[in-house]
Amino acid sequence: MKKIFFVFLLLLSFGLVVAQSYKYDFRLGVGGSVLGTAGHLLLKKQYIDYSITPEYEGHFRVFAGNSVAIGLALGYQRFALSGNIDTLRGTLSAAKWNLGLSATLFYMQKKGFNLFTGARAGMSIWHYKAQANFDYYVDKYFGMFAPIVSKYLPSEGSFTNTLLSLQITLLGISVYPVKNLGMYGELALGSPYWFNLGLSYRFNSSRVKKVIGY
């Protein structure tokens, strides 16, 4: 029994050493946000044209110990809606950029398999743009004065809004079938996504070390 326990500790230590031998990783993934998923479910049966992209994600992490990593993540997602109300046609589009700082805790590490959880905090920058065609109503109600009215009636507008984003990674799994390149998946609660799948590349680099000082 003591021998089995000793072998288990040896294997666990080996897994931590393997994980620690890489100081950085970079991840590219796609996922789904709560708003994007709800939009698909609510709009697919409506008489409206819409387009909702996945949540695209880039994430750079630095390993600060055997079981902790800190990182910087950038995400992007776009929403677009268009439809007709009588003779009035309108469109609404929104682009969301998310920038966040992350902390990851690895609670199981093997040579090619990791389980982790974590948290992320940052901001989502939303840029909205709306367009509408009022020509029919302007011509109908203003007649010869329609050209003058049209000059003062904007057909499009845009604005930007910034919101706080918080997220907890409930469960994350990464698998490395080859030495440096792997795959990962996450289930999360919060913003910017509730699930995320992608590729992960772990590496060491003297150039990166010079830039970030670690």
Side-chain angles (χ1 to χ4, degrees):
M1 186 67 183
K2 291 183 179 180
K3 291 182 178 180
I4 295 175
F5 183 69
F6 175 76
V7 171
F8 174 77
L9 290 179
L10 185 62
L11 290 174
L12 181 60
S13 298
F14 177 72
L16 293 177
V17 170
V18 170
Q20 176 63 9
S21 65
Y22 296 98
K23 295 187 66 173
Y24 318 108
D25 76 358
F26 180 72
R27 310 191 308 171
L28 285 175
V30 295
S33 66
V34 173
L35 185 59
T37 303
H40 279 294
L41 295 175
L42 294 174
L43 296 173
K44 67 179 181 179
K45 294 184 179 180
Q46 304 298 321
Y47 296 99
I48 189 171
D49 297 324
Y50 74 95
S51 173
I52 303 175
T53 70
E55 214 275 342
Y56 300 107
E57 186 81 3
H59 195 173
F60 172 72
R61 297 187 302 185
V62 179
F63 291 88
N66 289 334
S67 57
V68 177
I70 56 175
L72 179 66
L74 179 65
Y76 174 80
Q77 189 173 22
R78 187 176 185 275
F79 303 79
L81 306 173
S82 62
N84 291 320
I85 302 176
D86 194 10
T87 58
L88 175 65
R89 180 167 182 83
T91 63
L92 173 65
S93 63
K96 179 189 71 174
W97 289 93
N98 181 270
L99 182 64
L101 296 174
S102 69
T104 305
L105 174 65
F106 296 87
Y107 55 90
M108 180 181 291
Q109 298 186 81
K110 299 295 183 179
K111 184 177 180 180
F113 178 80
N114 296 326
L115 289 178
F116 59 88
T117 185
R120 173 170 165 175
M123 63 181 64
S124 292
I125 302 172
W126 288 84
H127 181 72
Y128 305 90
K129 185 175 182 180
Q131 294 178 315
N133 186 349
F134 298 100
D135 291 345
Y136 171 81
Y137 294 99
V138 172
D139 291 338
K140 180 178 179 178
Y141 293 106
F142 293 94
M144 60 182 295
F145 299 103
I148 299 175
V149 174
S150 295
K151 292 181 180 180
Y152 296 95
L153 186 66
S155 61
E156 65 179 54
S158 63
F159 67 97
T160 300
N161 189 28
T162 302
L163 300 173
L164 178 68
S165 68
L166 298 173
Q167 180 178 280
I168 296 175
T169 301
L170 302 175
L171 176 64
I173 301 173
S174 57
V175 180
Y176 288 87
V178 296
K179 185 177 180 180
N180 297 89
L181 185 63
M183 301 169 289
Y184 75 91
E186 291 184 19
L187 291 177
L189 182 65
S191 175
Y193 56 80
W194 70 269
F195 79 91
N196 192 21
L197 303 170
L199 298 176
S200 178
Y201 178 74
R202 55 185 182 181
F203 62 99
N204 293 317
S205 172
S206 58
R207 294 183 179 180
V208 173
K209 182 177 180 180
K210 288 180 181 180
V211 172
I212 66 175
Y214 177 81

